[in-house]
Amino acid sequence: MITLSDVHKTFRARRPLFGAKKPDVHALNGVDLHVQPGEIYGVVGPSGAGKSTLLRSINLLERPDRGSVIVNDQDLTTLSATKLRHARHDIGMIFQHFNLLARSTAIENVALPLQLQGLSKTQRRQRAAALLERVGLADKLDAYPAQLSGGQKQRVAIARALAVQPKVLLSDEATSALDSETADEVLALIRQLRDDFGLTVLLITHDPYVVRSICDSAALLQDGRIAQAAALTELTPDSPLARRLKIATLASETTGSTRHRFVDVPEVSYA
Amino acid sequence: MREALELATWETLYMVGWSALWTVVLGLPLGVLLVVTSRGHLATVPALNAVLGAIVNIGRSLPFIILLVAVVPLTRTLAGTSIGPNAAIVPLTIAAVPFFARIVETSLREVDAGLLETGQALGASRLQIIRKILLPEALPGLVAGITITVVALISYSAMAGVVGAGGLGDLAVRRGYQGYETDITVACVIALVALVQALQSLGDFLARRLTH
Ligand SMILES: Nc1ncnc2c1ncn2[C@@H]1O[C@H](COP(=O)(O)OP(=O)(O)O)[C@@H](O)[C@H]1O
Ligand SMILES: [Mg+2]
């Protein structure tokens, strides 16, 4: 569903008015990544490893200097501006700080992508209301973001990201600003939506717990390269990725019947 | 005196109203361009940005009284006359557009870059991002900016008597000050203060209503 091949991205430092020029930052140094359809894939790595840059190059918010980004059998780096905009309709994205329009209500936020696609007002309201209901916010349609909790805001953002029925959902630390209970609920929602819509989810996080909770596969990003990638069921406990995910430690903490103990997220039902 | 005051008030409102309208019509796009052509924004064009910035700075640094006289030929072309309230609208607009454009620029810069990026991720065109995200999110600031501009226009318009535009300022100077009719000066000043107060309150009210 998503295939990155040899993706490079360098941020060139600008010459400052005073003092020495800072060095360029090689954020991505030849990233290869393959995400299967319907999978929840997590990329972990230390801060500054290039995780956000990696995620942003998938919908070309950040255009790679080199390499190809194939989403849905289409190399996005070769597309014209108009074609790229269309391709982006198939790629939803959610963010750590939600990025909701502060002056629009929940339903207006969710209706925005529908409006961009030229749907009529009644169609937009209907679809947006249904989506908000789907994420458990049927009673918050006309609430402004300031009147919502962090978890509720992220649900609105998820509904907005899914409004035009994308095939792929990208998540940049979507639960990092939430308390752990709310984070669990949002993660459960993401998994539920993946199951229901056959979404492919690529999330990046600094938090090993998120990956252990909902990911099928994971990769460790280090110094702008994928150091290791594996399905979680096939992960060897003493590998770098397993250490990063703290899977070995967890296993030794548990009674030992299961080698990989994944923390289960409680199922949350949404009427 | 009452009639003179009434007429002058209407003249002021006429000059300020029309020049405010033209200021928004011209200054808003200019402000948007100042922002979106800047480095790292929606449509980076550093050269255009530098030129626009320079034009705005020149406009802002000209003393209004000089502008008033300097643009007389232009006024004659655009307004068909170089005296009267219609003639004042041209220099008032020219003075206010760069002023307002800078305010627009400041308001738009307050909009979180994350929102613009979200627009891009949603597949919005640049024009859609400007119309559906940038401007709506900045609306309270823009309304406050229009209020500031209108108040500034009222004070500029007092100088427009130089081109025979009339208005409260002109009445206060010509009949009140130069004609030694102090009561007229006082009445004009009171009318101006009331006008500014009323407009500022209206602007504040609107800006508050728009903030969530
Ligand atoms: N727009 C940018 N301009 C310059 N440097 C950037 C930019 N975005 C990211 N970087 C740099 O690239 C590196 C990787 O950043 P990022 O992808 O945000 O890492 P992570 O999300 O893993 O913390 C960091 O050193 C960061 O400072
Ligand atoms: Mg990051």
Side-chain angles (χ1 to χ4, degrees):
Chain A
M1 195 58 167
I2 304 172
T3 303
L4 303 191
S5 311
D6 195 32
V7 168
H8 289 256
K9 178 73 191 182
T10 300
F11 293 107
R12 307 235 167 261
R14 283 174 51 211
R15 182 162 288 287
L17 214 45
F18 302 104
K21 185 173 179 288
K22 292 213 184 74
D24 297 341
V25 177
H26 301 283
L28 299 178
N29 257 321
V31 168
D32 295 298
L33 192 74
H34 186 65
V35 182
Q36 306 279 358
E39 160 171 68
I40 301 184
Y41 197 108
V43 176
V44 285
S47 158
K51 301 185 295 295
S52 294
T53 309
L54 167 65
L55 198 75
R56 292 155 48 78
S57 32
I58 289 166
N59 57 3
L60 256 59
L61 285 182
E62 215 71 81
R63 184 173 280 277
D65 304 325
R66 188 140 67 83
S68 65
V69 176
I70 296 168
V71 180
N72 225 350
D73 301 324
Q74 220 177 9
D75 186 348
L76 301 190
T77 59
T78 63
L79 297 182
S80 67
T82 319
K83 288 230 175 85
L84 174 60
R85 292 209 287 114
H86 284 290
R88 280 173 174 163
H89 293 148
D90 275 335
I91 310 174
M93 191 172 196
I94 53 176
F95 307 84
Q96 179 170 6
H97 298 295
F98 324 120
N99 291 4
L100 297 177
L101 302 186
R103 297 199 51 259
S104 298
T105 58
I107 194 164
E108 287 165 353
N109 267 285
V110 178
L112 175 68
L114 303 170
Q115 187 184 20
L116 297 174
Q117 297 215 343
L119 264 72
S120 78
K121 200 164 179 178
T122 36
Q123 278 176 310
R124 294 196 308 252
R125 263 202 87 83
Q126 232 166 26
R127 279 270 286 280
L131 281 153
L132 282 168
E133 213 167 299
R134 184 66 190 70
V135 299
L137 292 177
D139 55 338
K140 298 287 183 196
L141 302 190
D142 298 314
Y144 286 93
Q147 300 163 329
L148 297 173
S149 71
Q152 290 170 332
K153 282 183 210 167
Q154 196 58 289
R155 284 162 194 269
V156 175
I158 290 171
R160 177 177 65 183
L162 299 183
V164 294
Q165 294 164 314
K167 299 184 178 66
V168 171
L169 179 67
L170 305 177
S171 160
D172 189 342
E173 303 273 7
T175 53
S176 298
L178 306 176
D179 64 70
S180 62
E181 212 169 305
T182 313
D184 278 345
E185 286 170 14
V186 168
L187 291 173
L189 173 65
I190 291 174
R191 186 161 61 186
Q192 192 66 53
L193 293 169
R194 185 275 305 262
D195 294 347
D196 294 354
F197 299 141
L199 277 175
T200 304
V201 181
L202 178 60
L203 60 86
I204 62 160
T205 179
H206 70 280
D207 183 359
Y209 171 77
V210 170
V211 175
R212 296 197 309 262
S213 302
I214 62 162
C215 289
D216 305 304
S217 303
L220 172 63
L221 186 69
Q222 234 161 17
D223 305 323
R225 270 197 207 84
I226 300 292
Q228 190 188 349
L232 290 202
T233 46
E234 289 160 14
L235 192 55
T236 23
D238 53 358
S239 61
L241 178 57
R243 276 199 297 276
R244 179 86 207 168
L245 295 177
K246 302 202 170 83
I247 282 177
T249 7
L250 266 191
S252 65
E253 280 166 11
T254 58
T255 46
S257 59
T258 39
R259 243 175 21 125
H260 305 166
R261 175 144 175 88
F262 301 121
V263 182
D264 254 335
V265 178
E267 285 298 334
V268 183
S269 62
Y270 302 103
Chain B
M1 147 142 168
R2 200 187 149 147
E3 265 160 47
L5 201 64
E6 248 168 45
L7 178 67
T9 306
W10 281 117
E11 282 166 347
T12 294
L13 286 174
Y14 179 86
M15 280 187 282
V16 171
W18 278 106
S19 48
L21 190 71
W22 281 110
T23 299
V24 173
V25 167
L26 300 171
L28 189 63
L30 180 57
V32 169
L33 275 177
L34 276 173
V35 173
V36 299
T37 60
S38 67
R39 201 180 292 278
H41 215 279
L42 287 174
T44 311
V45 191
L48 178 60
N49 190 260
V51 171
L52 292 177
I55 292 173
V56 164
N57 288 343
I58 292 169
R60 296 225 33 208
S61 53
L62 282 182
F64 182 63
I65 196 81
I66 292 177
L67 186 78
L68 207 50
V69 181
V71 298
V72 163
L74 179 66
T75 304
R76 207 171 278 139
T77 317
L78 290 178
T81 174
S82 58
I83 53 161
N86 277 326
I89 292 169
V90 176
L92 283 173
T93 303
I94 292 175
V97 162
F99 178 78
F100 182 60
R102 282 292 184 213
I103 296 178
V104 170
E105 184 190 14
T106 313
S107 308
L108 298 186
R109 285 204 188 288
E110 303 264 301
V111 176
D112 182 5
L115 292 183
L116 307 181
E117 204 171 272
T118 305
Q120 284 175 320
L122 288 172
S125 68
R126 285 183 284 208
L127 204 61
Q128 283 177 323
I129 294 175
I130 293 170
R131 289 183 45 211
K132 306 286 180 204
I133 297 180
L134 198 57
L135 292 174
E137 281 293 300
L139 197 58
L142 294 176
V143 168
I146 291 173
T147 310
I148 295 174
T149 306
V150 171
V151 169
L153 277 170
I154 292 175
S155 99
Y156 280 156
S157 79
M159 277 185 259
V162 172
V163 293
L168 287 165
D170 191 33
L171 183 67
V173 171
R174 265 212 289 226
R175 270 188 60 186
Y177 180 68
Q178 290 164 359
Y180 302 104
E181 295 183 64
T182 310
D183 51 341
I184 287 202
T185 308
V186 171
C188 286
V189 169
I190 290 172
L192 282 169
V193 169
L195 205 57
V196 169
Q197 284 288 356
L199 283 165
Q200 187 66 51
S201 304
L202 178 68
D204 288 349
F205 171 76
L206 287 175
R208 239 192 345 264
R209 278 294 298 271
L210 293 167
T211 310
H212 291 287

